[in-house]
């Protein structure tokens, strides 16, 4: 066959999905859906349509191929590919991850602790290759590249060392559907035990004796509903069912306290929790419920030793929406004594316990904060916040597995400061910077200097008068003339999940081409406390969309940008946000990126057999049972509100094997937009071997992000190399 005959002919027009109307009636309201046939991914016509969409997207963006390659090269050049994480001490070993140039996935390693009295992490050779130990005595625990070999997708659900440090239980997903298989590696011989546990959500939690572990499975709707105990050396069919949650609104989880004494099973919905625990020092008591569930009461447990006495730390909202930290005995009780009383506006998010101190992660004034309570023989000796100078920053919990450690490991970043790892020495209150993610230079990539970028906190006024924070980063001096510049505005706004300001190497490729990046901290997230979440869900969900629109208008009104330079981006529930603002205020944006977008929310919430639907009722409402909820969701659901108007250019990205937001939602959305809107710049890109988080492997992820960034820059008019 000649070369000419083998060339794929160009696609002359975007694919138009067949219209196969299906009518349904709920509460006397009738809906017609022309594209629900795209739901059946076993249908060859569906796969053909998705492949046609991919072909059209590739052709429509072919002019960006060079830019995509350049951005990928910039990401790779700036990244230290052969690298090593800061070692974390646990059970007599320093554990760390290694990456190597040219390899998609990391390797997990450890070395013995040389001096038990020294908590200073060793300094490994950051440049050591795959055949050279980074530290003397290095032991390779798990090579993720070897596990991924032969698979288009790979995800590690967890890797847990047994309490006796001789076994490693790890969980693997090679399709993207988040159903993991647990295997157990004998670290002495390097071989695998016969044990193989399938259909697991996540990883394993070891019993303190090290002869058994616990895991979670899901029901037919992908709800984590059962906790099992597996005895090593026995088949999965003989595993003990520890707990089964019958309520479809609740999910379950299992874990172990840092003291190793207690095993915990939590059963929780969006608004209510209930904890069960096994005291391994008193196993004859069996599994016990700490405090029975009460609708609207959320609490968590952590074991601590305070003033020489065993206590449970109870983080709960019974005293107020922003939570209180209380003390209780280790027997079932609802008598909780305040340790940190509830303070409106200071959201207590998490607590961990150590022999000499407690660590509280809290949030106030739109910032994450680190609080340390020092312990002495009588109880709490000191209570203080760790202080930082930056106006906008994010503190993330680090790995602190040792109950007896005298330090607090945490992560720190800003929009201009690469991810940094610190140890906080509680006794001296000194901070030690252990590592800042290097940003390299070379070729066309100039040396990175955080002083070249400026950060801003901007406040937008929503229609109801609420002030909404915006975090923004831009190359210093870019707005010297005061004129508008391109801006990428990112948003999420659901599940009390906060989109905190953090550094991104791929983002530099956009910033250095003359664009700013901004985060709209809209209601529905948790940035400003629990009320921020409550004001952006259920019958107040539209506040999320109004806030994002207000942020866009503020950036335009204050001269930061203009509609022909403004692009919006969001994923998952943030994709619903993108679809809603596209319908409500299309004139404000030149482009919109919607990743794995929840754009057909009403259809999904009307079907209780779909993954996650029932457990989501407390976030969105139940439109199947309540006509008012139906009408409210119908008023904002993106797919239901597509109309014949001009829309900005839209890029929708999804994954065929996503179990959280099914690929059919963006597929239907793009089909309806293309058939209805008066503009026609709509692209659908489907990863055929991926899950909710997209492709696996760092190089694939970089290429994926380079594709999206090139499209964004093109909409901004910046599809050129940086100066």
């Amino acid at each position: 066959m000649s070369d000419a005959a083998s060339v794929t002919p160009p696609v002359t027009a975007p694919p138009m999905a067949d219209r196969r109307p299906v009518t349904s009636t709920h509460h006397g309201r009738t809906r017609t859906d022309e594209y629900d046939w795209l739901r059946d991914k076993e249908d060859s016509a569906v796969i053909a349509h998705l492949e046609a969409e991919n072909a059209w997207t590739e052709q429509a963006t072919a002019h960006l191929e060079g830019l995509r390659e350049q951005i990928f090269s910039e990401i790779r050049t700036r990244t230290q590919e052969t690298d090593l994480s800061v070692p974390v001490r646990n059970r007599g070993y320093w554990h760390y991850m290694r990456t190597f140039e040219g390899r998609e996935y990391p390797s997990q390693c450890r070395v013995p602790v040389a001096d038990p009295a020294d908590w200073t992490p060793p300094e490994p050779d950051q440049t050591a290759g795959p055949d050279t130990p980074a530290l003397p005595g290095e032991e390779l625990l798990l090579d993720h590249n070897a596990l991924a070999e032969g698979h288009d997708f790979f995800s590690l659900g967890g890797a847990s060392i047994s309490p006796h440090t001789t076994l490693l239980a790890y969980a693997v997903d090679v399709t993207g559907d988040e159903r993991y298989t647990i295997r157990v590696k004998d670290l002495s011989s390097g071989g695998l035990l016969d044990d193989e546990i399938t259909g697991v959500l996540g990883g394993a939690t070891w019993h303190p004796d090290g002869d058994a572990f616990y895991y979670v499975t899901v029901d037919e709707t992908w709800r984590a509903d059962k906790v099992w105990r597996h005895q090593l050396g026995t088949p999965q069919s003989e595993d003990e069912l520890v707990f089964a949650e019958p309520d479809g609104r609740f999910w379950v989880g299992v874990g172990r306290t840092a003291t190793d004494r207690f095993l915990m099973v939590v059963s929780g919905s969006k608004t209510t929790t209930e904890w069960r625990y096994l005291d391994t020092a008193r196993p004859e008591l069996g599994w016990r419920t700490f405090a029975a569930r009460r609708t609207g009461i959320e609490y968590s447990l952590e074991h601590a030793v305070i003033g020489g006495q065993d206590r449970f730390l109870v983080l709960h909202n019974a005293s107020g929406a922003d939570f209180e930290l209380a003390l209780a005995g280790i027997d079932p009780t609802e008598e909780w004594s305040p340790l940190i009383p509830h303070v409106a506006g200071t959201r207590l998010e998490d607590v961990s316990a150590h022999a000499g101190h407690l660590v509280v992660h809290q949030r106030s004034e739109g910032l994450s904060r680190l609080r340390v309570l020092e312990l002495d023989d009588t109880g709490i000796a000191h209570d203080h916040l760790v202080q930082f100078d930056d106006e906008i920053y994010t503190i993330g919990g680090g790995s602190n597995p040792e109950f007896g450690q005298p330090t607090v490991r945490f992560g720190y970043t800003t929009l201009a400061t690469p991810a940094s790892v610190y140890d906080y020495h509680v006794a001296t209150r000194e901070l030690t910077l252990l590592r800042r993610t290097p940003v390299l230079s070379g070729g066309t990539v100039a040396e990175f200097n955080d002083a070249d970028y400026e950060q801003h906190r901007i406040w937008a006024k929503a229609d109801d008068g609420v002030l909404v924070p915006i975090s923004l980063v831009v190359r210093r001096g870019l707005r010297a003339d005061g004129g508008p510049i391109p801006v990428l505005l990112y948003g999420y706004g659901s599940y009390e999940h906060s989109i905190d300001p953090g550094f991104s190497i791929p983002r530099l490729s956009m910033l250095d081409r003359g664009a700013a990046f901004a985060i709209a901290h809209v209601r529905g997230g948790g940035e400003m406390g629990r009320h921020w979440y409550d004001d952006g869900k259920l019958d107040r969900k539209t506040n999320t969309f109004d806030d994002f629109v207000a942020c866009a208008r503020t950036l335009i009104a204050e001269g930061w940008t203009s509609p022909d330079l403004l692009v919006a981006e969001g994923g998952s529930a943030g994709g619903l946000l993108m679809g809603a603002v596209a319908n409500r205020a299309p004139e404000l944006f030149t482009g919109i990126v919607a990743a794995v977008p929840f754009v057909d929310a009403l259809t999904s919430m009307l079907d209780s057999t779909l993954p996650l639907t029932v457990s989501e009722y407390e976030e969105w409402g139940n439109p199947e049972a309540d006509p008012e909820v139906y009408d409210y969701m119908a008023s904002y659901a993106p797919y239901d509100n597509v109309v014949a108007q001009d829309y900005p250019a839209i890029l929708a990205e999804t994954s065929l094997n996503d179990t959280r937001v099914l690929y059919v939602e963006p597929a239907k959305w793009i089909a309806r937009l293309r058939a209805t809107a008066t503009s026609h710049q709509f692209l659908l890109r489907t990863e055929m071997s991926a899950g909710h988080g997209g492709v696996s492997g760092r190089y694939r992820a970089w290429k994926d992000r380079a594709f999206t960034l090139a499209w964004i820059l093109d909409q901004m008019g910046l599809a050129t190399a940086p100066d």
Side-chain angles (χ1 to χ4, degrees):
M1 182 180 291
S2 67
D3 290 341
S6 64
V7 174
T8 302
V11 183
T12 58
M16 301 296 291
D18 291 344
R19 304 176 75 137
R20 305 179 188 177
V22 175
T23 299
S24 59
T25 301
H26 299 272
H27 313 296
R29 287 77 159 165
T30 298
R31 298 173 73 221
T32 299
D33 190 342
E34 308 92 340
Y35 303 108
D36 203 59
W37 65 274
L38 292 169
R39 184 175 302 278
D40 183 8
K41 68 178 180 180
E42 302 303 320
D43 184 346
S44 60
V46 172
I47 298 301
H49 176 75
L50 297 178
E51 290 174 341
E53 288 279 14
N54 281 348
W56 173 251
T57 296
E58 186 59 39
Q59 180 172 305
T61 61
H63 64 291
L64 299 175
E65 182 177 357
L67 179 59
R68 294 197 294 259
E69 290 301 318
Q70 187 174 16
I71 293 173
F72 172 79
S73 175
E74 291 167 6
I75 296 171
R76 187 168 185 174
T77 299
R78 288 183 168 115
T79 302
Q80 187 164 296
E81 296 181 65
T82 297
D83 205 356
L84 192 147
S85 66
V86 177
V88 173
R89 180 168 160 176
N90 189 24
R91 301 185 188 276
Y93 289 88
W94 291 103
H95 292 260
Y96 50 93
M97 304 294 286
R98 298 186 64 182
T99 59
F100 305 103
E101 183 176 354
R103 296 190 179 183
E104 291 275 12
Y105 304 98
S107 294
Q108 183 176 340
C109 304
R110 70 178 181 182
V111 296
V113 171
D115 181 1
D118 186 3
W119 285 84
T120 305
E123 297 184 12
D125 181 359
Q126 301 280 353
T127 63
D131 299 322
T132 305
L135 286 167
E138 179 178 278
E139 177 185 0
L140 174 63
L141 299 178
L142 211 59
D143 181 355
H144 299 190
N145 295 282
L147 295 175
E149 190 171 349
H151 301 290
D152 292 332
F153 179 90
F154 170 79
S155 173
L156 188 75
S160 304
I161 301 285
S162 66
H164 302 309
T165 73
T166 57
L167 300 173
L168 172 66
Y170 64 92
V172 168
D173 166 26
V174 294
T175 64
D177 64 359
E178 299 184 59
R179 268 68 164 182
Y180 292 85
T181 296
I182 296 177
R183 298 302 309 269
V184 180
K185 182 179 180 180
D186 184 334
L187 297 179
S188 299
S189 67
L192 292 176
L193 304 188
D194 292 336
D195 304 72
E196 184 176 45
I197 311 300
T198 61
V200 175
L201 182 67
T205 296
W206 286 97
H207 189 282
D209 291 343
D211 60 353
F213 60 76
Y214 298 80
Y215 62 91
V216 173
T217 59
V218 298
D219 65 11
E220 62 277 1
T221 67
W222 200 78
R223 176 179 67 96
D225 71 325
K226 294 181 179 67
V227 176
W228 302 84
R229 181 184 187 273
H230 174 72
Q231 185 71 37
L232 291 178
T234 65
Q236 184 175 0
S237 60
E238 296 180 7
D239 287 353
E240 174 192 353
L241 179 61
V242 174
F243 177 71
E245 173 55 63
D247 192 326
R249 299 170 301 167
F250 284 72
W251 48 263
V252 299
V254 62
R256 190 179 69 242
T257 59
T259 60
D260 278 343
R261 176 170 172 176
F262 295 92
L263 288 158
M264 300 288 193
V265 169
V266 59
S267 186
S269 72
K270 302 289 184 184
T271 61
T272 306
T273 49
E274 181 179 71
W275 286 66
R276 291 167 175 80
Y277 64 102
L278 177 67
D279 186 348
T280 61
R282 300 182 292 171
E284 68 278 3
L285 297 176
W287 287 89
R288 298 190 290 172
T289 299
F290 178 71
R293 66 186 68 176
R294 288 186 287 156
T295 301
I297 301 301
E298 301 171 63
Y299 71 91
S300 64
L301 292 182
E302 180 61 87
H303 177 220
V305 180
I306 299 178
Q309 296 183 315
D310 288 299
R311 292 285 184 265
F312 275 140
L313 300 171
V314 187
L315 189 63
H316 68 90
N317 67 344
S319 299
D322 282 323
F323 285 69
E324 172 180 278
L325 181 62
L327 291 176
I330 60 171
D331 289 313
T333 180
E334 294 188 18
E335 299 296 323
W336 307 337
S337 302
L339 180 61
I340 301 178
H342 173 265
V343 176
T346 299
R347 171 72 162 94
L348 305 183
E349 295 185 321
D350 185 45
V351 60
S352 60
H354 299 275
H357 59 273
L358 311 177
V359 181
V360 177
H361 288 270
Q362 64 185 50
R363 182 178 296 277
S364 59
E365 299 175 348
L367 294 174
S368 52
R369 302 183 187 275
L370 188 69
R371 184 172 183 171
V372 177
L373 285 68
E374 299 177 53
L375 305 177
D376 61 16
D377 293 339
T378 61
I380 306 299
H382 301 285
D383 178 354
H384 63 277
L385 291 172
V386 182
Q387 300 295 330
F388 302 94
D389 296 330
D390 291 302
E391 178 185 5
I392 306 171
Y393 60 84
T394 297
I395 300 172
S399 184
N400 295 279
E402 287 280 353
F403 184 70
Q405 66 186 66
T407 57
V408 179
R409 176 74 56 83
F410 67 92
Y412 180 88
T413 184
T414 76
L415 287 168
T417 307
S420 307
V421 178
Y422 284 89
D423 267 354
Y424 180 70
H425 304 267
V426 176
T428 62
R429 301 194 184 182
E430 293 178 334
L431 278 172
T432 300
L433 175 62
L434 300 175
R435 172 177 168 81
R436 179 158 289 154
T437 300
V439 182
L440 308 182
S441 59
T444 61
V445 175
E447 182 177 355
F448 171 78
N449 185 346
D450 59 0
D452 291 338
Y453 305 88
E454 57 187 77
Q455 303 178 81
H456 298 272
R457 173 55 63 87
I458 302 164
W459 295 88
K461 182 177 286 190
D463 291 344
D464 59 0
V466 170
L467 294 178
V468 181
I470 305 169
S471 298
L472 183 144
V473 63
V474 64
R475 192 165 180 88
R476 192 173 299 280
L478 187 62
R479 288 190 70 227
D481 62 359
I485 60 173
V487 173
L488 174 61
L489 181 62
Y490 189 90
Y492 187 75
S494 291
Y495 305 111
E496 201 180 1
H497 178 65
S498 299
I499 304 297
D500 291 315
F503 186 81
S504 164
I505 284 180
R507 189 185 302 142
L508 293 176
S509 292
M510 182 180 69
L511 297 179
D512 289 352
R513 283 174 169 81
F517 173 76
I519 304 169
H521 301 289
V522 296
R523 280 175 283 185
E527 288 90 338
M528 301 291 284
R530 174 51 71 91
H531 81 281
W532 206 245
Y533 171 47
D534 291 337
D535 282 349
K537 69 173 186 175
L538 295 173
D539 60 355
R540 286 172 276 183
K541 186 64 210 170
T542 55
N543 284 337
T544 304
F545 319 138
D546 295 340
D547 287 358
F548 193 86
V549 170
C551 290
R553 286 180 174 148
T554 296
L555 292 174
I556 294 169
E558 294 189 4
W560 278 100
T561 191
S562 58
D564 61 324
L565 298 173
L566 180 59
V567 175
E569 183 179 17
S572 195
L576 180 147
L577 169 62
M578 294 299 102
V581 300
N583 289 330
R584 288 164 172 255
E587 73 282 357
L588 296 180
F589 308 95
T590 187
I592 291 178
V593 177
V596 290
F598 185 43
V599 283
D600 192 17
L602 184 55
T603 299
S604 293
M605 294 306 299
L606 283 168
D607 187 350
S608 59
T609 68
L610 289 177
L612 303 177
T613 293
V614 173
S615 62
E616 296 283 281
Y617 286 158
E618 291 175 322
E619 181 78 22
W620 312 98
N622 182 354
E624 189 174 17
D626 189 333
E628 291 186 4
V629 173
Y630 180 98
D631 290 341
Y632 187 64
M633 290 197 71
S635 74
Y636 69 74
Y639 182 63
D640 291 83
N641 289 279
V642 171
V643 296
Q645 65 178 350
D646 279 350
Y647 283 84
I650 292 176
L651 171 63
E653 300 174 312
T654 187
S655 298
L656 185 65
N657 296 325
D658 190 346
T659 53
R660 295 175 182 264
V661 179
L662 303 183
Y663 74 91
V664 67
E665 297 204 21
K668 289 167 57 176
W669 182 50
I670 291 297
R672 181 171 280 182
L673 280 166
R674 197 170 282 146
T676 307
T678 53
S679 56
H680 302 285
Q681 299 171 290
F682 309 122
L683 301 178
L684 174 67
R685 183 167 174 252
T686 304
E687 294 290 350
M688 306 305 280
S689 298
H692 191 64
V695 296
S696 65
R698 57 175 175 168
Y699 296 108
R700 293 177 183 174
W702 294 347
K703 285 186 176 293
D704 194 60
R705 189 56 185 164
F707 183 98
T708 307
L709 283 174
W711 186 88
I712 290 170
L713 290 166
D714 194 32
Q715 305 311 309
M716 294 174 168
L718 294 177
T720 57
D723 294 335

